């Protein structure tokens, strides 16, 4: 009971930080294109301190919290599709939920499309998952610890704004790792995946537990509190055109997440800290998809004028 209470508090804090920092890969790519890569780097390295919470459990415990997978073409193609969908949506997985918590109702269309994408390929979810990548757990932890020490030293060289940004991002990654100890599939994409499996297979697949929905509600609550306290909450309706656009973008993100074995939330908070080759390739191609998609959108907007 104590652990679930702590977990709920942590995930609410995670949501608060995600909202206040504007956690979003699309935003990170856009800033990097303008010559400001700091935000994107902070996002990509947010899981560096994930090793700290894992000290709570024995290294030999069969929790498979940080399982790595071999990269394959599904990782690349799925990441590219997800990135293109995120660019059209102007937000990735976590930022979609953040924007919804800020009152942007059109994000509901993105979530529905995301779920639809999972359902369309639910039958192939297990087939696209690649083989396990075997690595030394001791070396894995040593590299993460060395990287953590390097980041701590580097933080002293940053200005106050960048130091705050990095501390927030690293805190998000560390809190996410604690939540993973309680529920490995707590992320929004993980929940949508299991809902899609239930819809596809019916009684042959278990409906996600009530606790998993409670975790997502706590995440949204933290985001909502942040939106209210920072006065960024503004209720925005939707038009038919926007609804269709975000529904299609969400569907593309969902299909990409199936092929890549997870959305950007799973890749950033679980796969990258695990040094998963599949996760690394998926993230690289997500970034490429966001970049290409953003370029296409910008060109289309210029043609309108």
């Amino acid at each position: 009971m104590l652990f679930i209470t702590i977990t709920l508090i942590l995930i609410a804090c995670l949501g608060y930080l995600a909202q206040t920092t504007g956690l979003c890969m699309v935003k990170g790519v856009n800033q990097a294109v303008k010559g400001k890569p700091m935000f994107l780097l902070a996002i990509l390295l947010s899981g560096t301190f994930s090793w700290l919470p894992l000290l709570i459990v024995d290294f030999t415990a069969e929790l498979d919290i940080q399982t790595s997978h071999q990269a394959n073409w599904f990782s690349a193609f799925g990441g590219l599709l997800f990135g293109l969908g995120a660019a059209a949506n102007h937000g990735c997985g976590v930022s979609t939920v953040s924007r919804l918590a800020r009152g942007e109702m059109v994000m509901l269309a993105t979530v529905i499309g995301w779920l639809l994408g999972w359902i369309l390929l639910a039958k192939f979810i297990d087939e696209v998952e690649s083989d396990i990548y075997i690595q030394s757990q001791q070396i894995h932890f040593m590299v993460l610890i060395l990287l953590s020490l390097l980041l701590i030293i580097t933080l002293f060289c940053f200005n106050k704004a960048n130091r705050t940004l990095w501390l927030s991002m690293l805190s998000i990654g560390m809190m996410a790792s604690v939540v993973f100890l309680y529920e490995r599939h707590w992320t929004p994409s993980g929940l949508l995946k299991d809902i899609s499996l239930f819809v596809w297979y019916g009684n042959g697949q278990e409906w996600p537990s009530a606790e998993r929905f409670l975790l997502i509600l706590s995440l949204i609550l933290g985001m909502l509190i942040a939106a209210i306290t920072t006065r960024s909450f503004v209720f925005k309706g939707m038009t038919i055109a926007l609804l269709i656009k975000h529904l299609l973008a969400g569907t593309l993100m969902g299909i990409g997440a199936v092929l890549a074995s997870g959305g950007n939330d799973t890749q950033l908070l679980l796969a990258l800290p695990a040094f998963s080759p599949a996760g690394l390739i998926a993230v690289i191609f997500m970034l490429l998809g966001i970049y290409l998609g953003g370029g296409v959108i910008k060109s289309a907007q210029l043609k309108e004028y």
Side-chain angles (χ1 to χ4, degrees), residues 28-67:
V29 171
N30 290 338
Q31 288 194 7
V33 170
K34 295 177 182 178
K36 300 177 181 179
M38 188 66 73
F39 190 83
L40 181 59
L41 287 173
I43 291 175
L44 296 177
L45 294 175
S46 60
T48 302
F49 285 86
S50 62
W51 60 273
L52 277 172
L54 295 181
L55 293 180
I56 298 173
V57 297
D58 186 79
F59 287 177
T60 60
E62 297 180 2
L63 294 177
D64 291 329
I65 297 169
Q66 291 194 316
T67 303

Side-chain angles (χ1 to χ4, degrees), residues 95-278:
S95 58
T96 294
V97 182
S98 295
R99 290 172 64 185
L100 180 60
R102 288 201 302 269
E104 296 186 42
M105 294 298 102
V106 75
M107 290 298 108
L108 285 173
T110 302
V111 174
I112 293 171
W114 200 356
L115 178 59
L116 180 60
W118 277 103
I119 293 174
L120 288 173
L121 295 186
K123 185 178 180 180
F124 305 100
I125 287 178
D126 292 332
E127 296 180 22
V128 301
E129 190 171 90
S130 56
D131 296 332
I132 299 294
Y133 174 71
I134 306 298
Q135 60 181 316
S136 169
Q137 195 172 38
Q138 286 72 25
I139 293 177
H140 174 218
F141 271 80
M142 284 180 60
V143 173
L144 281 177
I145 292 171
L146 288 174
L147 182 57
S148 300
L149 292 174
L150 180 62
L151 274 178
I152 291 173
I153 295 172
T154 307
L155 283 175
F156 289 100
C157 301
F158 291 155
N159 58 37
K160 184 178 180 180
N162 284 332
R163 191 180 302 120
T164 300
L165 168 67
W166 276 87
L167 288 174
S168 297
M169 291 296 183
L170 292 171
S171 297
I172 288 173
M174 192 160 62
M175 287 187 289
S177 296
V178 175
V179 181
F180 279 127
L181 291 176
Y182 181 80
E183 174 52 66
R184 187 176 186 274
H185 304 287
W186 71 264
T187 60
S189 62
L191 181 64
L192 291 177
K193 172 185 176 181
D194 286 348
I195 291 175
S196 69
L197 287 172
F198 178 84
V199 173
W200 183 266
Y201 292 107
N203 294 331
Q205 181 74 23
E206 288 187 6
W207 179 257
S209 66
E211 289 179 348
R212 292 179 62 185
F213 286 96
L214 190 58
L215 289 172
I216 296 299
L217 286 176
S218 293
L219 177 71
I220 295 174
L221 178 62
M223 291 176 171
L224 180 60
I225 292 173
I228 293 173
T229 55
T230 58
R231 298 182 180 179
S232 60
F233 181 88
V234 178
F235 182 83
K236 297 180 181 178
M238 67 181 84
T239 62
I240 297 298
L242 278 177
L243 190 151
I244 294 174
K245 172 189 173 183
H246 287 277
L247 182 66
L248 292 175
T251 302
L252 197 59
M253 292 168 67
I255 292 174
V258 173
L259 296 177
S261 297
N264 70 306
D265 49 7
T266 300
Q267 306 297 348
L268 290 172
L269 299 174
L270 192 62
L272 281 189
F275 296 164
S276 171

